[in-house]
Amino acid sequence: EAACPPWLAQLVGPLSKGQSPDVGTLAEALEKVSASEWIDALQRLYTDLMLASAGAPARYFPALASGVVQVAARMNTAKVAEAARWLTRQRALATHPLNAKLFAHSTLQRVVLSCLA
């Protein structure tokens, strides 16, 4: 069970209510974290979302489970699966993002759009 980073809770909170989180503020927080680390966390979140949509318990972030279940109930599973594959491709670029904040911002935006059906 991974420790749940605060920024991840700030991402899931609004999404669980069908709202868009403040991607700009989140990107600022992620600028200070290594890209591979926050991409890992997002990949784990996607795993938990897919598990929740199948009625299975969270594997990585039990602390976020209630919010994840709410996001999963609203989301388009195919859209989320596609974004998860896209995120895996981004993982290859994560070692050398040209602009850390911009990379975080565009990635988060994609994640948010994938979760808001």
Side-chain angles (χ1 to χ4, degrees):
E1 170 184 331
C4 181
W7 63 266
L8 198 61
Q10 289 161 9
L11 174 71
V12 172
L15 288 174
S16 68
K17 300 177 184 79
Q19 295 159 3
S20 182
D22 184 342
V23 172
T25 304
L26 288 167
E28 275 169 31
L30 293 186
E31 196 181 3
K32 301 162 188 73
V33 181
S34 85
S36 54
E37 193 180 313
W38 61 255
I39 287 182
D40 274 353
L42 288 172
Q43 288 180 305
R44 290 185 172 126
L45 176 65
Y46 272 136
T47 299
D48 280 357
L49 283 166
M50 298 305 274
L51 286 168
S53 75
R59 180 184 306 167
Y60 293 111
F61 302 117
L64 298 179
S66 63
V68 163
V69 165
Q70 288 173 292
V71 177
R74 281 198 182 86
M75 72 186 193
N76 174 323
T77 312
K79 221 158 128 182
V80 167
E82 168 53 39
R85 286 192 293 275
W86 173 83
L87 195 59
T88 302
R89 294 194 294 276
Q90 298 308 295
R91 184 80 173 71
L93 311 172
T95 44
H96 307 289
L98 298 175
N99 179 325
K101 189 174 165 186
L102 193 65
F103 182 61
H105 196 278
S106 60
T107 304
L108 285 167
Q109 226 160 9
R110 175 82 192 248
V111 169
V112 166
L113 288 172
S114 76
C115 290
L116 296 172

